[in-house]
Amino acid sequence: MKLKKAMIVFGTVCILNTMVTGCGSGSESVTETEEIQAEETPSGELNDESLKEPDRSTESDPIAGIVEKYEGNKITIRTPEDDMLYYFSTENAQILEGFSTENAHAAEGDSPIAVGDKVEVSYRGLIDFDEEHPSEAVKIVVITVE
């Protein structure tokens, strides 16, 4: 009789544990809960680690578009897909030219960038839509046509 009661109690505990933690194994759920709790302060507010801004030092996927404006060290690109304007600082950007980004080479002489050119811009961090605070261009490839 004691064995039957022990099995019923064990089964009940297992069912309750599954209901509380979900279908995953108990150890995985406990670890996940501890990680979530570690990120929160006792008052329920997020800690400093979770409030950090996204990393602006990583290079993002390139954006392709048409040069709308190019003056000084700022370039404005219009993308044909969404007809949006994007602003980039070209101060430290590598400027290349070629038939495609794969065969691009360093531009010789004066800047080959002109209004109306098709370009692909690789940039660092998050994209900014503010003309006064442009995103940092890392590489600009002017797509030439022959």
Side-chain angles (χ1 to χ4, degrees), residues 62-66 68 77-88 123 127 129:
I63 186 168
I66 307 298
E68 185 83 10
I77 306 298
R78 181 178 299 276
T79 55
E81 300 84 31
D82 56 12
D83 201 37
M84 296 282 298
L85 292 176
Y86 298 91
Y87 304 95
F88 299 97
Y123 57 95
I127 197 156
F129 297 98

Side-chain angles (χ1 to χ4, degrees), residues 119-135:
V119 294
E120 186 172 289
V121 180
S122 298
Y123 57 95
R124 196 175 313 282
L126 301 174
I127 197 156
D128 237 335
F129 297 98
D130 183 7
E131 187 172 9
E132 296 302 314
H133 303 95
S135 302

